[in-house]
Amino acid sequence: MRRIYESDALHRDDDPHTPNEKDTSRRVQAVRWVNSTLLSRLLLPTGIAYRAVSVDISTPNDEFAPGESVPFVVTMKNSLPTPVTIPTESLVLWTWTVDGVPEASHVPLRDPPDERGAFVFDRGERKQFHKRWDQRFKVGNDEWEAADPGTYTLGAEFNVPAADEKGLSSETIVEIRSD
Amino acid sequence: MSLLEVNDLTVKFYTEEGVVNAVDNLSFSIDRGEKFGVVGESGAGKSVTALSVMRLIESPGHIESGEVLFNGENLLEMSDEEIRSIRGNEIAMVFQDAQTALNPVYTVGEQISETIRHHLGYDETEAKERSIQLLDTVGIPDAESRFSDYPHEFSGGMQQRAIIAMALSCDPDLLICDEPTTALDVTIETKILQEIETLADEFDTAIQLITHDLGVVADVCDRVMVMYAGKPVEKAPVEELYYDPKHPYTVGLMSSIPRIGDERERLQTIPGTMPDLVDLPSGCSFHPRCPYAEESCTRSEPALVDPETGAVATDDDEHVAACLEYTGELTDGLGYEVTVRDSSDDAEVETVAGAKASSAVDTDVPDAGGDRRD
Ligand code: SF4
């Protein structure tokens, strides 16, 4: 007979997004009780917080065959030896774009609650997000179109007003070949 | 009026990785006394659906839209006090890790009695009597003396039964069971499922049974909803789902049901894993894993339709599925057959992959394996 500690009961892995579960790979940033948020707000003016954090987007290649998935990595870093909080416009903390189109979708993907968010970085923390663009644009609620051959700008930016002026955005160019 | 009616429910989680599309535009209803199954792999959105019904979604989760009507009243609009009185009284829930719901420092009996006293206002003696009666009903032998045992003196199966007794103690109208037997041995699993079924009939309680195992659903449920990546992909009465599955994902789940005494190599399991709910594949979310996927599957997201007519599903449709095959958008069609074999006493369903074994679309298929626990 299985005892509780031999079973999966204590490590519930049914749904990775159940809210009562601690998942370290997707740390919650929007909760108000994160002490480092408060701490960094007390210690750091927002202007310095902006300067402390950098973002970079990169792809393994510059050229891709038509239809081939374009993988990209978004790296964010806090260069200060103290926690930093970037206040964001909504609970969406950052976004990626293709030619300025958020998440390659011409239709709104969500309707976030009317609440501001907080993107928290520990001292010297580096965060990395691995994503891919499947060379398609969403053009309707249930419709997608393939991107034509040509060059495209992949971008990543924090969800703050005028992210590029604050140095909280990054871009890279890829080419979809016509072969 | 249905006991529970969920309409266009959308739940998202705002994480630093991105926005998780946990449940997307989900609708279903459960009638009084009905046994309704929700099936899918990890990450299909089954538990989030159940937690939304109980209004237990917490930050960073948000119910973005939809309504959850219980006896005609929208649970999402109730005050915290109102929802608390519904939870436990009218809707009860049994989790996979129900054992952790038992407090190790109180006896099992005390915990059940406490629930009864709290919810039904019984006095101590009445509550004790009722608890012993319930422990007996859920098949705990020698219930009177086991009443004073601590949880660690109970086996896993008995703990789960005690939790079911606790859930039933207030005679709920709806019992949500989330993987109630996954942590248990197969033999105990069968017994517990039988008990849930018998008790539901006896108490006229509706059941929402959440599981990754289609075999479990077949034993217990009247109707089934199969979920994939936060969306329903097929809904049908249980026999129809078995004998005439309409969605390739359902077929894949069926092919991977292990059969006792079947020495042949198991038919294909579904290659790959559930997609990342932050970055769902374009078109049909199942296309990277579907053996029948075509170019159109990467461009259009299929709606739930009546497979016979291709018309958008309505509440009156018994059997609905979300695959482009039924709206005439596939060129080659679906290539599986279902054959019914007579084994010793039961009819058995076998699915056979058709001629078209692999997809014609250039997509990434992740490693086989996945996170199924069967
Ligand atoms: S729409 Fe295409 S990918 Fe989706 S289930 Fe049907 S055949 Fe498979």
Side-chain angles (χ1 to χ4, degrees), chain B residues 190 193 197 214-221 238 242:
Chain B
T190 316
L193 289 172
E197 204 182 345
L214 208 43
V216 164
V217 159
D219 288 342
V220 180
C221 297
V238 76
Y242 266 78

Side-chain angles (χ1 to χ4, degrees), chain B residues 233 246-249 283-294 296-298 300-302 322-326 330 333-334 356:
Chain B
V233 293
K246 294 293 188 190
H247 197 280
Y249 180 60
C284 174
S285 298
F286 188 52
H287 88 251
R289 299 172 75 186
C290 181
Y292 315 110
E294 298 180 7
S296 55
C297 305
T298 67
S300 303
E301 183 176 352
C323 172
L324 295 178
E325 167 72 354
Y326 307 114
L330 288 192
L334 302 177
K356 213 178 95 172

Side-chain angles (χ1 to χ4, degrees), chain B residues 35-240:
Chain B
K35 299 178 208 82
F36 184 76
V38 181
V39 192
E41 294 160 287
S42 297
K46 308 173 309 254
S47 295
V48 175
T49 306
L51 292 167
S52 308
V53 169
M54 298 286 276
R55 233 183 66 194
L56 289 171
I57 300 289
E58 287 172 9
S59 184
H62 282 269
I63 296 180
E64 207 128 303
S65 57
E67 53 179 16
V68 178
L69 303 176
F70 185 71
N71 281 325
E73 286 190 70
N74 191 352
L75 298 183
L76 303 183
E77 284 172 358
M78 283 186 180
S79 70
D80 287 353
E81 203 180 315
E82 285 170 319
I83 192 81
R84 263 199 300 274
S85 89
I86 293 227
R87 264 186 233 139
N89 270 335
E90 291 168 59
I91 307 180
M93 191 156 177
V94 174
F95 289 106
Q96 170 187 337
D97 50 356
Q99 294 94 330
T100 56
L102 288 170
N103 190 327
V105 302
Y106 294 103
T107 67
V108 172
E110 277 171 70
Q111 295 182 55
I112 301 175
S113 299
E114 176 55 33
T115 315
I116 293 173
R117 282 210 304 272
H118 177 76
H119 284 286
L120 302 179
Y122 281 30
D123 71 26
E124 212 160 305
T125 327
E126 285 170 335
K128 180 171 178 182
E129 259 173 45
R130 175 91 178 114
S131 310
I132 293 173
Q133 200 189 348
L134 274 166
L135 284 173
D136 189 54
T137 316
V138 296
I140 305 269
D142 200 5
E144 196 152 359
S145 64
R146 303 301 307 236
F147 178 88
S148 318
D149 280 1
Y150 286 89
H152 73 267
E153 295 172 271
F154 272 38
S155 67
M158 272 162 51
Q159 286 177 354
Q160 192 66 311
R161 283 170 208 217
I163 287 293
I164 292 168
M166 206 186 286
L168 288 171
S169 64
C170 304
D171 196 5
D173 290 333
L174 174 65
L175 178 65
I176 302 179
C177 299
D178 188 354
E179 304 272 8
T181 55
T182 305
L184 304 173
D185 297 347
V186 176
T187 44
I188 299 170
E189 173 177 52
T190 316
K191 275 197 204 134
I192 291 204
L193 289 172
Q194 276 166 358
E195 266 151 30
I196 291 179
E197 204 182 345
T198 319
L199 291 168
D201 288 340
E202 198 174 303
F203 289 70
D204 197 27
T205 304
I207 304 273
Q208 182 181 338
L209 178 67
I210 297 169
T211 174
H212 62 283
D213 187 342
L214 208 43
V216 164
V217 159
D219 288 342
V220 180
C221 297
D222 309 317
R223 260 184 334 124
V224 193
M225 169 169 75
V226 180
M227 285 186 76
Y228 188 79
K231 284 169 242 171
V233 293
E234 184 160 5
K235 282 191 251 183
V238 76
E239 285 88 15
E240 274 199 45

Side-chain angles (χ1 to χ4, degrees), chain A residues 72-84:
Chain A
F72 59 93
V73 181
V74 176
T75 308
M76 298 170 181
K77 186 156 173 32
N78 168 20
S79 56
L80 288 184
T82 157
V84 164

